[in-house]
Amino acid sequence: MVVNAAHAAPKLSGPLDGVRVVEVGVWHAGPAVGAILADLGADVIKVESLQGDPERLFAAFAPMTDTRNIDADGWTVMFELSNRGKRGISLDLKSDAARGVLERLVKGADIFVTNLRGPTRRALGIDYEALSAINPTIIHVNVTGFGGDGPLADAGAFDNVGQAMSGMMFTAGGDNPQPLNVLVMDHLTAIVGSHAAITALAARELHGIGQEVHTSLYGAGTWLMYGNLGFTGARGHEVSMNGDRLSRSPLRNLYKCSDGKWVMGTNHPEQEHWSTFCQVLGCAELVNDPRFHDVDSRNANLKLLYQILDEAFQTKLRETWLDELRSAGLFFAPVHSFTDVLSDEQALANGYVDDVDHRHLGTVRQPSYPIRFGAFNAGPTGPAPWLGEHSREILASVGYSDAEIEALIEAGAVNNAGEHR
């Protein structure tokens, strides 16, 4: 047997091993750019204020609330997800001494990431103009609410603002907008931001230039909504977002099984699969029934049709239906709860979720990095840092002597409290 050398050889640490990232960001959309790059093997240095990223002490996101007592540890689930795999340093960037530290970090960096607003970036001297003067080849990634230009360029935003502006809140159907209970805009923006950083890094290798790149909650949202916006633009009017299950195609719909669990079907084109679907359900008589034999007749009789189909699905367990439907070549999947996903065999086999050693909780299962490389490892490389945990280590790595480090700490320019935990 010939073994693929790429699979036989030991994997290297990560595809971005050797890339240095400096991040000055808060909450999720900006810091998660750094977390993704860390998953890919980059050395990511998170620069926090002396008080720390506010996400350390904020546990409520929409209906998701961490009910544990948030204490001086400064840790929440979301902070961990936003900052895993990074090294941390805590600086008072309003002081000349701390800005000198940041300048040294930037000189040796490949990528700089921030989601602070324009006036704050300029006041702290971390805007592209200031940092490119220190390092002309720096990739400067700006994550904002609405983009780098226009009347809202310096306005702040959180996840639901991106959902609102992009049209996403009407995708559930109906006249009343409804936010999704997921940090979709924050994390999507982080994914887009990491894509921008890696693309600009590749462009630097090809063309020898650094540059500033922008992405935003609004921009990422419009990209995610490209189908909805594309149809609307092409048709010249709002497209229907009817959320009523009983108005949708029976081949692209949800069904509740006898055990109370749901399956979802997505089969195109509908007419091609109609006969097979009916036969698997034990409803072969529907195939030639004039009320249901083609798409138009089914659409005219959907209420009656769903009474028949829903009754059929109530006769068997979900796993039985999935086996039978899939064996017939139909595309059906279970509708998972979050707990289901974390224990799903397919997710585990592909490393989409994985067990990590968590210094607060022990071994816990967490979402991982969703891409596998033949020659490299990718995924969580360590926990989020304590506030200032690696301050001394990072300072030493950019040439500060022990005496200089002590002076910075004593002057209050640097917080190293986390290194003692």
Side-chain angles (χ1 to χ4, degrees):
M1 178 183 293
V2 178
V3 178
N4 187 311
H7 292 115
K11 290 187 178 182
L12 302 176
S13 58
L16 295 184
D17 187 27
V19 172
R20 171 68 62 84
V21 180
V22 175
E23 169 210 307
V24 179
V26 294
W27 302 107
H28 188 74
V33 173
I36 293 169
L37 298 176
D39 280 355
L40 289 168
D43 175 20
V44 181
I45 296 174
K46 181 178 181 68
V47 178
E48 296 183 76
S49 69
L50 299 184
Q51 295 73 38
D53 183 336
E55 193 176 44
R56 287 182 177 277
L57 298 172
F58 192 84
F61 289 87
M64 295 182 291
T65 299
D66 186 354
T67 56
R68 76 182 64 252
N69 178 33
I70 302 172
D71 54 24
D73 285 351
W75 178 87
T76 63
V77 170
M78 279 308 304
F79 182 80
E80 183 71 28
L81 293 173
S82 302
N83 295 284
R84 67 191 189 189
K86 302 177 186 177
R87 295 192 292 160
I89 185 170
S90 176
L91 300 175
D92 177 11
L93 289 180
K94 295 178 181 179
S95 74
D96 291 339
R99 283 198 296 272
V101 173
L102 185 68
E103 287 184 8
R104 290 202 197 184
L105 292 174
V106 168
K107 283 180 182 178
D110 299 290
I111 298 169
F112 181 84
V113 178
T114 184
N115 66 331
L116 301 186
R117 285 188 271 175
T120 304
R121 291 197 305 270
R122 293 185 286 273
L124 293 177
I126 59 171
D127 55 305
Y128 176 67
E129 289 72 21
L131 297 191
S132 62
I134 299 167
N135 181 350
T137 64
I138 195 77
I139 306 301
H140 192 285
V141 180
N142 287 285
V143 177
T144 60
F146 306 99
D149 297 308
L152 297 178
D154 289 335
F158 283 107
D159 186 280
N160 281 359
V161 171
Q163 290 192 39
M165 291 281 284
S166 66
M168 181 180 292
M169 287 190 181
F170 283 105
T171 57
D175 296 329
N176 296 321
Q178 178 64 43
L180 300 180
N181 291 328
V182 57
L183 297 174
V184 60
M185 285 296 95
D186 275 352
H187 201 61
L188 174 65
T189 304
I191 294 168
V192 173
S194 67
H195 170 83
I198 295 167
T199 302
L201 189 63
R204 190 181 73 180
E205 295 302 305
L206 291 169
H207 309 294
I209 57 171
Q211 62 183 301
E212 182 179 28
V213 296
H214 284 272
T215 190
S216 69
L217 296 174
Y218 192 17
T222 57
W223 201 15
L224 184 63
M225 294 291 100
Y226 76 98
N228 307 71
L229 296 172
F231 271 98
T232 300
R235 300 302 185 192
H237 58 77
E238 291 284 337
V239 293
S240 174
M241 289 286 104
N242 192 336
D244 181 10
R245 170 180 171 265
L246 300 183
S247 68
R248 295 181 177 181
S249 162
L251 272 298
R252 299 186 297 278
N253 218 321
L254 294 152
Y255 295 97
K256 192 174 185 179
C257 306
S258 64
D259 52 4
K261 299 178 180 180
W262 292 79
V263 294
M264 177 72 200
T266 308
N267 297 273
H268 305 280
E270 180 178 332
Q271 193 60 27
E272 179 179 320
H273 299 286
W274 175 241
S275 176
T276 302
F277 179 64
C278 292
Q279 291 174 31
V280 173
L281 261 64
C283 302
E285 70 279 1
L286 299 180
V287 175
N288 296 315
D289 189 316
R291 298 171 297 176
F292 311 122
H293 76 283
D294 62 20
V295 174
D296 290 339
S297 61
R298 287 194 290 277
N299 286 341
N301 295 283
L302 282 174
K303 185 175 181 180
L304 175 59
L305 177 59
Y306 278 114
Q307 290 176 357
I308 299 169
L309 297 179
D310 285 344
E311 185 175 337
F313 270 97
Q314 282 293 311
T315 63
K316 297 179 182 180
L317 300 172
R318 179 170 71 179
E319 287 306 312
T320 303
W321 278 126
L322 287 172
D323 287 342
E324 294 182 4
L325 290 161
R326 288 169 170 171
S327 295
L330 296 170
F331 291 177
F332 273 83
V335 179
H336 279 159
S337 68
F338 304 131
T339 303
D340 291 336
V341 176
L342 292 173
S343 60
D344 180 56
E345 180 182 3
Q346 188 68 20
L348 290 166
N350 287 279
Y352 300 151
V353 296
D354 205 354
D355 290 332
V356 298
D357 292 326
H358 199 287
R359 57 188 178 187
H360 302 271
L361 305 175
T363 300
V364 295
R365 190 157 291 172
Q366 294 284 276
S368 189
Y369 185 77
I371 299 171
R372 281 191 167 184
F373 297 89
F376 297 96
N377 288 311
T381 57
W386 300 115
L387 179 60
E389 179 176 356
H390 305 99
S391 292
R392 190 183 299 273
E393 170 188 316
I394 293 168
L395 290 168
S397 72
V398 291
Y400 284 93
S401 67
D402 289 345
E404 289 171 324
I405 293 171
E406 290 301 328
L408 287 168
I409 293 170
E410 290 177 10
V414 176
N415 179 349
N416 70 322
E419 72 180 53
H420 304 299
R421 294 187 181 280

